[in-house]
Amino acid sequence: MKMLIIYYSMFGHIRTMAEAAAAAALEIPGVEVALRRVPETLNEAILTKMGALDAAKAQADVPVATVDELAEADAIFFGTPTRFGNMTGQMRQFLDGTGGLWAQGTLVGKPGGVFTSSATQHGGQESTILSFHTFLLHQGMVVVGLPYTFQGQMRLDEVTGCSPYGASTIAGGDGSRLPSENELEGVRFQARHLAKIGLKLKQN
């Protein structure tokens, strides 16, 4: 079962989550994982002004995704930061190129999930994931969230991301907060859950 983890990460938080998800999915026997990033749409001058150039260069080792890879995957896990309660423009531009897959019904029946990050605790994590789900539904995919069997989303002893819609992390206003162990365990749990569903669907 081929699982594709495709993400956009400006400052590295979502990449950290994506790498944790990839490692967790590989724990499931019979699962192959490909880690990909969507193309950057901002030039180096803008990334420099935003303080994101170093993080962008650090991801050069991750191959850039192609639309064809979506077609080849049996399960797809999408990661995107929040931008005003929605996905990033980079992710949106990539998804806007999947019209051919929609026309052919290529993604119908494939399981898909979403994970995200935001600067603040109430910065639009849930709306980002829920609005991303509309893409999955238009493509006929099976939406896979983060079940409450992941007890980490019930915690009250610390500030943390994660909801039944999907795993998430809080980056802080200056981006200095890294994903917590609880948040990483959330995305690992969701990745394993998605991989198991992908295996079951492929076997049928």
Side-chain angles (χ1 to χ4, degrees):
M1 197 280 291
K2 296 180 180 179
M3 182 168 170
L4 175 64
I5 300 177
I6 181 169
Y7 74 92
Y8 176 76
S9 185
M10 178 170 281
F11 295 105
H13 299 81
I14 287 295
R15 178 184 178 174
T16 299
M17 297 278 278
E19 290 173 338
L26 285 172
E27 296 173 7
I28 309 301
V31 175
E32 300 175 9
V33 178
L35 185 65
R36 299 289 186 268
R37 58 189 172 93
V38 300
E40 180 59 79
T41 60
L42 302 177
N43 60 42
E44 287 196 2
I46 294 176
L47 290 172
T48 299
K49 289 182 179 179
M50 299 179 74
L53 185 59
D54 289 343
K57 289 182 175 180
Q59 300 180 73
D61 60 318
V62 181
V64 175
T66 66
V67 170
D68 290 341
E69 289 178 292
L70 296 178
E72 297 166 0
D74 298 305
I76 309 172
F77 203 11
F78 297 91
T80 176
T82 291
R83 294 291 185 270
F84 306 107
N86 212 320
M87 71 179 74
T88 63
Q90 291 87 345
M91 180 63 74
R92 169 53 62 194
Q93 181 164 309
F94 179 80
L95 297 181
D96 281 349
T98 63
L101 300 181
W102 170 80
Q104 298 173 22
T106 306
L107 303 183
V108 172
K110 295 185 179 185
V114 184
F115 59 98
T116 190
S117 68
S118 64
T120 61
Q121 187 175 6
H122 304 290
Q125 294 184 2
E126 293 184 358
S127 63
T128 295
I129 295 175
L130 287 170
S131 60
F132 203 126
H133 284 171
T134 61
F135 168 78
L136 305 185
L137 293 167
H138 274 265
Q139 291 284 3
M141 300 182 73
V142 177
V143 177
V144 177
L146 180 62
Y148 275 112
T149 44
F150 171 62
Q151 293 292 304
Q153 61 182 300
M154 305 285 285
R155 297 180 66 164
L156 297 175
D157 61 325
E158 65 177 65
V159 174
T160 185
C162 295
S163 72
Y165 313 113
S168 60
T169 185
I170 303 164
D174 60 358
S176 62
R177 183 184 184 275
L178 300 177
S180 69
E181 181 55 35
N182 189 59
E183 293 165 341
L184 290 173
E185 188 51 41
V187 81
R188 293 183 191 119
F189 190 106
Q190 190 177 3
R192 290 190 291 262
H193 182 52
L194 178 60
K196 291 174 183 177
I197 291 174
L199 279 169
K200 289 179 180 178
L201 291 175
K202 187 172 177 64
Q203 289 168 359
N204 293 329

